[in-house]
Amino acid sequence: MSQLPAQPASTDPDARPTALPDQDGVSTPAVPAPRRGTLRWVIAGGAALLVAAVTVGAVRLGGAATGPAAPSPGTGPADLQIAAADPPVAPIAFTATPPTEAPVSFDPLVRIARFGRLPAGMVPRTTIVQAGEQGGYTIEAGLPNRSIGAQVAVTFFPRGAAPHRACLPGTNLVRTGPGTTPAPAGTPAPSLYGKPAKLVDGRLRWEYAPGAWAEAVGKDLAERAGDDPAANLPALAEIVRDLRYGVESLRFPVVLGGVPKGLPLAAASVTERSKTGWSSVLVFTAEPYCGGEHPFPQSTLSLRAEAIVPGYGWTGDQGNTTIDGHRAFKQEMPTGGAELAVYDNPGPFVALATSDAETTRLAGGDGLVNLYRRVQVLGTSNLAGLAEPADQSGWTTDPVR
């Protein structure tokens, strides 16, 4: 791995508190709870980054959109016409050898791990990266065009961070049934990479680099395994043993221009296969994204772009405005933030949100319409083959301009 910090002494996370510490010793201020909407969906972290359908007020969402100067996907304003960007990091070939060092924070634009072999029928689907000392890097796999059935998620934590699931998008991806019970006491955990692993709350945990931990969880990985951790354990262990490690740039299907200065990219997700096509989320904030009693910060801007498949998600029939010929839903939040969702059907869909009035002002005001006009969806909107991965030939490694 490149440009990683020096190795720390190995530390067992179970030997220290697992509660999230305050960042810099100061609790992150709470964002007053908005109405149900894009802001809550994108900013609230947890598994929400990958929910297939969300709500804005009473409107059901799902899909993707282009800016007004982009009458068809893949085109946009002249100053946003782009070629594929050079990779922002030097690539390192992916191998079965785990890293010897782990970072203290992950780069939201960089892939550091991928699946090797998966049980028959399963495919890699989603990558989520969240920066920060309490961030994480998650890869998820499942069936190519179904939201149910076999599924696995692996989350890597930064060096020195205890495994946790609070405000971390990837750790709760695999939803298990309400009747799920933990593995029986005494269930032996397999050895992984020459070290003993642990079973913690039905999850397989191991030290993937000195002082850095990872967790894997799966369901329906074997016949009649369901949510039973013990029944899924052999297949889960085999998936973990065949993970691949390296460095390469993630590719994104969307570009956002005009991001206010002082709002760095804090989290990103890319779904290459799903029941409703591709999707991507970018979250920007200068405040600690994950930490403290109230982990979700003010001063946050979020963008979601995804493909719309006819018959799934929002049809725009409850939109309350029109933006450049597209149906849209626009609202102000009690926090002073704003939400804007614009769609084509079939085609792409865009949802923007800010957490507070100052961030809305920095984004250009006008209910985020000006910022929407700086969004460009890339590549094709051909949604004929949902079982195939998205065509990434027109995607970019540089989604922020």
Side-chain angles (χ1 to χ4, degrees):
M1 309 292 282
S2 62
Q3 300 179 346
L4 296 175
Q7 297 184 28
S10 176
T11 303
D12 188 333
D14 293 336
R16 54 195 172 128
T18 57
L20 290 177
D22 292 347
Q23 298 282 341
D24 302 322
V26 179
S27 296
T28 306
V31 178
R35 286 177 288 167
R36 298 174 63 190
T38 310
L39 179 67
R40 179 182 293 264
W41 178 83
V42 176
I43 295 176
L49 280 173
L50 299 174
V51 173
V54 296
T55 56
V56 173
V59 179
R60 186 169 176 80
L61 300 180
T66 56
S72 61
T75 63
D79 59 349
L80 281 180
Q81 293 294 336
I82 61 171
D86 293 332
V89 295
I92 298 176
F94 283 73
T95 70
T97 303
T100 58
E101 298 174 299
V104 294
S105 177
F106 296 111
D107 185 336
L109 298 180
V110 177
R111 187 192 306 274
I112 62 166
R114 61 169 69 246
F115 289 107
R117 288 173 295 179
L118 288 165
M122 296 182 66
V123 295
R125 300 193 300 194
T126 297
T127 302
I128 307 175
V129 191
Q130 183 172 309
E133 295 177 357
Q134 294 293 330
Y137 175 95
T138 297
I139 51 177
E140 179 265 351
L143 301 179
N145 59 351
R146 300 184 64 190
S147 57
I148 60 175
Q151 191 179 3
V152 61
V154 180
T155 296
F156 299 86
F157 298 89
R159 176 172 60 93
H164 65 88
R165 298 175 197 102
C167 72
L168 192 60
T171 54
N172 297 309
L173 277 181
V174 179
R175 298 183 179 275
T176 55
T180 299
T181 58
T187 300
S191 174
L192 297 175
Y193 303 104
K195 297 181 180 180
K198 299 181 179 182
L199 283 176
V200 182
D201 298 330
R203 295 166 184 262
L204 185 59
R205 179 183 296 177
W206 75 100
E207 192 175 18
Y208 71 92
W213 296 85
E215 285 190 342
V217 61
K219 66 176 183 178
D220 293 314
L221 298 179
E223 187 176 359
R224 293 187 295 274
D227 298 333
D228 183 351
N232 283 292
L233 183 58
L236 188 61
E238 288 304 311
I239 291 172
V240 170
R241 291 190 184 104
D242 206 52
L243 291 171
R244 295 293 185 262
Y245 305 90
V247 173
E248 71 177 10
S249 301
L250 284 167
R251 300 188 69 83
F252 293 85
V254 65
V255 171
L256 177 60
V259 177
K261 292 182 178 180
L263 290 181
L265 182 63
S269 77
V270 176
T271 294
E272 300 168 4
R273 306 177 189 235
S274 78
K275 189 174 181 179
T276 56
W278 53 261
S279 67
S280 185
V281 173
L282 303 175
V283 180
F284 304 85
T285 182
E287 298 191 16
Y289 185 84
C290 189
E293 182 181 356
H294 305 292
F296 312 121
Q298 290 276 15
S299 305
T300 300
L301 167 68
S302 62
L303 164 68
R304 176 181 179 174
E306 71 175 40
I308 276 186
V309 177
Y312 290 94
W314 182 38
T315 64
D317 56 329
Q318 297 186 52
N320 60 7
T321 188
T322 300
I323 306 295
D324 301 308
H326 302 294
R327 287 185 177 180
F329 188 89
K330 178 180 177 183
Q331 70 175 349
E332 296 181 359
M333 307 302 293
T335 62
E339 298 179 345
L340 175 65
V342 187
Y343 92 108
D344 286 326
N345 189 7
F349 161 96
V350 161
L352 290 160
T354 53
S355 59
D356 56 275
E358 177 60 17
T359 306
T360 304
R361 185 189 66 79
L362 291 174
D366 194 22
L368 300 178
V369 173
N370 290 332
L371 191 62
Y372 165 71
R373 290 172 176 157
R374 300 286 298 175
V375 174
Q376 183 188 14
V377 175
L378 306 176
T380 177
S381 63
N382 181 3
L383 307 177
L386 292 182
E388 300 300 324
D391 178 5
Q392 298 188 31
S393 61
W395 291 14
T396 181
T397 58
D398 185 17
V400 184
R401 303 300 169 87

